[in-house]
Amino acid sequence: MTIGSATTGYRAAMPFTVDAVDVVAVGAVVGAVAVGVRIWRPRRRRPASPAPGPVGPEGAEPPWAVVVANPTKIPDIQGEIDWLEERSAELGWARPVWLETTLDDPGLGQGRVALRAGAHTVLAYGGDGTVRAVATALIGSGVPLGLLPAGTGNLLARNLDVPFADLDAALTVALTGIDRAIDVGRVQVDVSGEDQQPRAETFLVMAGLGFDAEVMATVEHRLKARVGWWAYVVAGARKLRGGQTRVMLSLDGAEPMRRRLRSVIVGNCGELQGGVRLLSDAKIDDGWLDVLVVAPRSIGGWVAVIGAVLTRSRWGHPVVEHFRCQRVEVTAEKPLHVQLDGDPAGQARVLRAEVEPGALVVRT
């Protein structure tokens, strides 16, 4: 099977002919509201497990996968390719095709290439940004997404109980696991509030407007390189005393509610690093979005936020409100930072989100 010229612009590290893919705080604050704060865990591999036997009928061509990989997360690319080929064969799959992401295309185009080529599954090898980009290409196709977590957050893998610290176990799940249909969040990022064509995005875990997104956007990269996730603590601590913003919040087309807040988080699922449940009722396949409004006025207010999140006992407190809906529109008095699955996504005055139930198939 040949992918051919459709791959122009993407680096192929193996032939395209397939013969046979915590900060839970500033103290605890930043991780409680900043979705993208990361905890590093060593990634390990177990010894190769026995092959589970043929995947398809006897005599049939073995299935094959495309691996969409973020090369910045992989120190030994050729070593990973060799490992993937060996383990795929042991699991009854043909040699996978390897495509690398680029600065200009973090995975969407490569995912579309994989679909056109007829891949049986597409594996996202990278962090949550890579997963989100590849998933966007697969929405509605029925082709399953496999996860090879190589980030430091790996939030989707955590919420789906996919191994995120053991690549061999993750690959086994990706090639031999169970297909599960999950919801997808669709977002419009409206910079001015009057954009004729607002930017369309997707998210799988959470989208945020305000404090959490500002932390993601302002973290110092040099400090992050030196001290890792502690850089998010520093960035969050610097932002704690910021002022509230007036917004209008509309749920499922109902009359807008007026609020003054620091952050709005729209969740498709609710687990962060360390097992912290930011949105305790959120389920990734229930057809609903969970909306968290965070409105502290002082450092003491942030303490109340921590208590509400960690104890789950104070929903409805003035500093923390929780809503459920299928569509939400947030209109702010001024542009605020936006984050999608922990990655900065610019600024917007209006953020619109809706759920697309069961739109993506993931191997779990």
Side-chain angles (χ1 to χ4, degrees):
M1 185 176 299
T2 303
I3 290 182
S5 61
T7 59
T8 301
Y10 306 123
R11 175 179 167 187
M14 61 174 63
F16 281 90
T17 298
V18 181
D19 300 325
V21 123
D22 225 332
V23 175
V24 180
V26 171
V29 172
V30 177
V33 295
V35 174
V37 176
R38 317 292 174 80
I39 289 181
W40 180 87
R41 289 174 179 265
R43 290 181 292 117
R44 59 186 175 82
R45 296 198 193 123
R46 301 175 303 178
S49 56
V55 175
E58 185 176 354
E61 289 287 331
W64 63 281
V66 168
V67 180
V68 180
N70 181 348
T72 67
K73 303 290 187 180
I74 304 167
D76 180 10
I77 290 176
Q78 188 56 54
E80 294 302 283
I81 292 172
D82 293 343
W83 165 70
L84 282 164
E85 289 186 345
E86 178 183 352
R87 290 295 289 127
S88 295
E90 291 173 350
L91 294 169
W93 285 63
R95 184 179 62 181
V97 171
W98 176 278
L99 299 178
E100 292 183 4
T101 64
T102 67
L103 289 176
D104 295 330
D105 191 340
L108 176 62
Q110 296 87 336
R112 288 172 174 168
V113 167
L115 283 182
R116 290 197 297 268
H120 293 91
T121 190
V122 182
L123 311 188
Y125 190 171
D128 285 308
T130 303
V131 170
R132 186 171 68 87
V134 175
T136 300
L138 302 184
I139 291 171
S141 70
V143 175
L145 170 70
L147 304 178
L148 293 179
T152 44
N154 304 315
L155 294 177
L156 183 62
R158 292 171 188 268
N159 278 274
L160 291 174
D161 291 327
V162 171
F164 57 86
D166 186 336
L167 276 176
D168 187 83
L171 179 61
T172 301
V173 170
L175 297 184
T176 67
I178 299 170
D179 289 348
R180 178 180 177 183
I182 68 169
D183 302 338
V184 171
R186 296 286 197 179
V187 169
Q188 287 185 346
V189 180
D190 189 334
V191 177
S192 70
E194 300 177 352
D195 294 353
Q196 294 299 310
Q197 293 183 317
R199 191 170 86 248
E201 298 279 3
T202 61
F203 68 94
L204 304 176
V205 181
M206 299 179 194
L209 181 73
F211 171 81
D212 59 310
E214 188 175 5
V215 171
M216 298 302 99
T218 59
V219 66
E220 296 181 11
H221 294 288
R222 287 184 297 180
L223 182 63
K224 181 181 174 183
R226 289 171 53 196
V227 301
W229 58 270
W230 279 103
Y232 291 97
V233 176
V234 175
R238 290 172 177 170
K239 302 294 181 182
L240 287 181
R241 295 185 181 276
Q244 294 179 325
T245 301
R246 288 191 294 268
V247 305
M248 301 290 285
L249 186 70
S250 178
L251 307 173
D252 290 329
E255 189 71 20
M257 301 178 290
R258 298 178 183 273
R259 292 291 187 272
R260 296 177 65 92
L261 51 78
R262 292 296 307 277
S263 185
V264 179
I265 297 171
V266 182
N268 188 36
C269 48
E271 184 171 333
L272 301 180
Q273 294 89 338
V276 172
R277 295 284 299 179
L278 180 62
L279 297 166
S280 59
D281 296 329
K283 295 181 181 178
I284 203 166
D285 55 3
D286 62 358
W288 292 90
L289 295 173
D290 287 69
V291 179
L292 188 69
V293 175
V294 180
R297 295 183 178 181
S298 63
I299 297 299
W302 281 114
V303 173
V305 171
I306 297 170
V309 170
L310 296 184
T311 67
R312 309 176 193 174
S313 61
R314 294 178 64 189
W315 296 124
H317 187 282
V319 299
V320 179
E321 292 182 281
H322 179 214
F323 306 95
R324 304 198 84 204
C325 61
Q326 294 177 314
R327 290 181 293 119
V328 58
E329 180 172 316
V330 186
T331 303
E333 63 179 337
K334 63 181 181 180
L336 297 174
H337 287 278
V338 176
Q339 63 86 7
L340 301 172
D341 290 352
D343 288 333
Q347 295 188 349
R349 278 199 62 230
V350 178
L351 185 72
R352 305 179 187 94
E354 63 180 308
V355 65
E356 188 170 345
L360 178 68
V361 177
V362 183
R363 284 273 167 80
T364 64

